[in-house]
Amino acid sequence: MAYVITQRCCNDASCVVECPVDCIRPRPDEPGFATAELLHIDPDTCIDCGACAEACPVDAIFAADELPDALTRYAEINAAYFEHNPLETTITAAPNPLRLPREAAPLRVAIVGTGPAACYSAEQLLGRGRVEVDLFDKSPAPWGLARYGVAPDHPETRGVIDQFNAAFKRDAIRMHLNVDIGRDLTHAELLEHFHAVIYAVGAPGDRRLGIPGEDLPGSHSATEFVAWYNGHPDCADRRFELSGERAVIVGNGNVALDVARVLTVDPDRLARTDIADHALEALRHSAVREVVLLGRRGLVNAAFTGPEFLALGQLDGVDVVIDPADLDAEVTAALADPETDPALRLKLNLATEYAARPRTSGNKRIVFRFRAVPREVLGEHSATGVRIERNESPGATADSPPGENLDARLIVRAVGYRGVPVADVPFDPAAAVIPNCLGRVVDALGATVPGVYTAGWIKRGPRGVIGTNRSDAEETVTQLIADFLAGDLDRPVRERDSLDELLAERCSDHVDRAGWLTVDAAEKAAGASEQRPRVKFVRARDMVDLARGAVAAR
């Protein structure tokens, strides 16, 4: 019986290297890997060894005969991928990664950020020889979007955090939390203390709609809303208007689906997760019964992934509503074309099924509207709705079709994250990334900036899932190691004691790894008493006080 990869797949490809018969696709060296919604196991080649399941950090792989009921369709999804992409096995030894000579002095690297890209970069470095890594984050809690971006009802996705915790126990790696690079320490000071600096700061900003009324109270970014329900200290005091029966989300990517799910799912289900207590309380009193997701283009171009779309249709007490009119000629043609990619075919088949489903009286509703262009957030003192126009074709103009007003007191734009500049580091404002070549940072003239590197979303833009950062980090670290071996980074750096002194002088509230472990243990203990994974601290001051108290007691 073959193994099957399911919705939880994080795409970090740990399973690929463990497979003795090379039957997992796409591989990181293949063009389709960067955009793959999940990886797949060929059922005709799999030898049922289970090595892939043991390697998976998010428990996404099951024996086909042990699939939970909600995931049984993934056996078909895995098989369909190989019907469209027949397996060609080319089992060859993976090239040995560049390593540091045993006799080399330690390479010292600072990594700014502690999210997945930063952590995969640290893992890569630690596996290359004598390397000392210092991680910096302006938050008193690590892990970035793995902590503050993953939906609370997707706890398995946070399994990568356990992987990082296990890898970061050695003395070669240190954490400096609640330290803001650019305010507490400068870029130049990092270069004085390290051979190289990797900026893996993600994309903390958000894209705007650029329409009238966008800044009215009641109109928010998904970045704010997601951070609020995940307990980010910067958003703990935000208030969201949940007194209306309808909410509108502009966008239909996976983040939009996360927000729609949180707004409609039974709060008792969320109460078993690590959702922030303030968000859970607000959602218990929410009047929202319908969430409308607006997509500018047709169903064929919908941004959500098939696995997330499939899971949406399995929510208890929630109807997924698709207008049969959206199953247009473009959809019909795609379904009739044998060359249609299986990932797209899955989404279109699901949409067809949802469109045919009867509605259940009393259920909440998640409604998809396609070719719907938002033109204005309505309201005088606060949002009361959004005006939309139907985009009949890619060339339609703003005044082509008649407009329609959708009443709503909560408007959430979920049209993408956006990188923001880092002090004293080159930045491309058009692409909203740190300009680079394979991870080496370059200046405005295209010249390499010695000792400065980047990884993750701030390197490539906000694309891919958590595991996509693994191969991205490997690329960056390979360039860094090559530069060190070539002598390009061979310059004196200050000792770690010097950095400790500077941090003590500048950042009296900084949190080290031991301090964070104290906070982590307290959150888990609070969660255990309520049968939850953890109860998060949502105040930076509370985390710092607990962490610093633990430090003083040692």
Side-chain angles (χ1 to χ4, degrees):
M1 182 65 69
Y3 275 74
V4 176
I5 299 178
T6 69
Q7 175 197 356
R8 303 170 185 171
C9 179
C10 72
N11 290 41
D12 86 337
S14 297
C15 56
V16 174
V17 296
E18 296 297 328
C19 180
V21 293
D22 188 34
C23 71
I24 303 177
R25 294 291 186 277
R27 295 181 299 196
D29 60 349
E30 294 178 336
F33 177 79
T35 56
E37 296 182 356
L38 76 162
L39 306 185
H40 311 80
I41 296 174
D42 180 19
D44 294 331
T45 308
C46 176
I47 60 173
D48 196 28
C49 69
C52 54
E54 293 180 8
C56 180
V58 294
D59 297 328
I61 305 178
F62 298 81
D65 59 351
E66 297 177 357
L67 282 166
D69 289 344
L71 302 177
T72 55
R73 194 162 184 166
Y74 282 92
E76 173 190 331
I77 292 169
N78 277 240
Y81 177 86
F82 291 99
E83 290 173 8
H84 188 77
N85 304 281
L87 181 67
E88 296 180 4
T89 57
T90 54
I91 302 177
T92 57
N96 292 323
L98 285 176
R99 291 183 57 85
L100 301 172
R102 291 181 179 273
E103 66 275 10
L107 167 64
R108 296 198 60 213
V109 180
I111 301 178
V112 182
T114 58
C119 292
Y120 281 122
S121 296
E123 274 193 330
Q124 281 288 324
L125 286 164
L126 294 173
R128 302 298 183 99
R130 294 183 63 196
V131 182
E132 296 175 350
V133 178
D134 288 57
L135 291 161
F136 296 83
D137 201 303
K138 65 181 180 181
S139 170
W143 317 133
L145 284 183
R147 176 178 169 93
Y148 292 123
V150 174
D153 59 344
H154 283 10
E156 299 85 0
T157 306
R158 291 198 174 99
V160 294
I161 292 177
D162 296 330
Q163 173 183 305
F164 299 145
N165 268 327
F168 295 168
K169 291 180 178 178
R170 65 188 84 174
D171 291 337
I173 191 161
R174 304 197 306 180
M175 280 186 176
H176 309 286
L177 308 175
N178 208 38
V179 177
D180 190 343
I181 302 302
R183 183 193 67 191
D184 300 321
L185 296 177
T186 67
H187 171 67
E189 287 169 335
L190 288 181
L191 288 175
E192 290 175 4
H193 288 86
F194 298 92
H195 293 101
V197 181
I198 299 175
Y199 284 94
V201 295
D206 61 271
R207 294 177 58 193
R208 294 179 60 81
L209 299 173
I211 61 176
E214 185 173 9
D215 294 318
L216 281 169
S219 174
H220 306 270
S221 70
T223 306
E224 295 174 79
F225 193 75
V226 170
W228 171 74
Y229 65 61
N230 273 320
H232 195 293
D234 289 350
C235 295
D237 293 324
R238 299 290 172 89
R239 295 291 181 268
F240 295 89
E241 184 55 75
L242 302 176
S243 63
E245 290 196 0
R246 177 188 290 139
V248 171
I249 302 173
V250 181
N252 60 18
N254 285 352
V255 173
L257 267 59
D258 285 346
V259 174
R261 207 172 54 250
V262 167
L263 284 169
T264 54
V265 75
D266 185 347
D268 286 341
R269 177 177 170 182
L270 292 175
R272 300 191 293 270
T273 74
D274 66 356
I275 189 171
D277 285 347
H278 59 252
L280 180 61
E281 181 65 17
L283 291 166
R284 285 195 183 280
H285 294 89
S286 169
V288 174
R289 302 290 303 172
E290 177 180 275
V291 178
V292 179
L293 294 95
L294 305 179
R296 290 175 176 268
R297 297 188 292 175
L299 177 56
V300 167
N301 300 113
F304 52 75
T305 62
E308 291 299 322
F309 197 37
L310 173 59
L312 204 66
Q314 298 169 338
L315 293 178
D316 291 335
V318 179
D319 288 336
V320 178
V321 179
I322 303 284
D323 187 339
D326 285 316
L327 306 176
D328 54 20
E330 193 175 24
V331 173
T332 302
L335 286 173
D337 185 353
E339 297 302 314
T340 294
D341 182 80
L344 174 59
R345 186 178 299 277
L346 172 63
K347 293 195 289 187
L348 300 183
N349 281 332
L350 287 169
T352 302
E353 294 171 18
Y354 294 157
R357 281 186 183 179
R359 311 293 172 237
T360 302
S361 177
N363 273 8
K364 295 180 181 178
R365 294 156 48 97
I366 296 177
V367 181
F368 286 83
R369 298 282 299 269
F370 298 98
R371 300 195 185 281
V373 182
R375 295 301 183 191
E376 180 181 2
V377 174
L378 305 171
E380 185 174 352
H381 302 294
S382 62
T384 59
V386 59
R387 182 171 65 84
I388 62 174
E389 292 176 351
R390 183 162 176 83
N391 183 12
E392 295 293 352
S393 68
T397 59
D399 57 358
S400 302
E404 175 187 356
N405 292 345
L406 283 177
D407 293 337
R409 301 189 67 178
L410 175 64
I411 315 293
V412 180
R413 64 178 183 275
V415 291
Y417 292 94
R418 181 177 173 83
V420 298
V422 177
D424 303 320
V425 178
F427 187 73
D428 178 350
V433 298
I434 294 175
N436 68 93
C437 180
L438 303 178
R440 291 186 179 99
V441 173
V442 298
D443 62 19
L445 299 177
T448 298
V449 181
V452 187
Y453 302 82
T454 186
W457 279 2
I458 195 64
K459 168 188 173 183
R460 68 181 189 275
R463 300 184 301 276
V465 293
I466 285 177
T468 313
N469 293 294
R470 186 181 185 187
S471 56
D472 179 283
E474 181 179 9
E475 178 183 74
T476 293
V477 169
T478 296
Q479 311 312 310
L480 190 159
I481 297 294
D483 291 345
F484 186 70
L485 292 175
D488 296 338
L489 307 180
D490 188 15
R491 53 185 171 71
V493 296
R494 298 189 180 185
E495 297 299 323
R496 275 185 160 182
D497 289 346
S498 172
L499 179 65
D500 291 340
E501 292 170 4
L502 190 58
L503 285 169
E505 175 186 341
R506 301 271 187 83
C507 313
S508 60
D509 283 343
H510 87 276
V511 175
D512 64 9
R513 183 176 60 189
W516 160 247
L517 291 176
T518 299
V519 174
D520 186 46
E523 288 188 342
K524 289 177 177 177
S529 67
E530 301 180 17
Q531 297 184 318
R532 300 168 62 184
R534 66 175 66 234
V535 176
K536 290 178 181 175
F537 288 97
V538 299
R539 305 290 177 191
R541 186 71 258 166
D542 292 342
M543 285 188 272
V544 170
D545 287 346
L546 179 58
R548 297 296 294 177
V551 170
R554 285 203 305 271

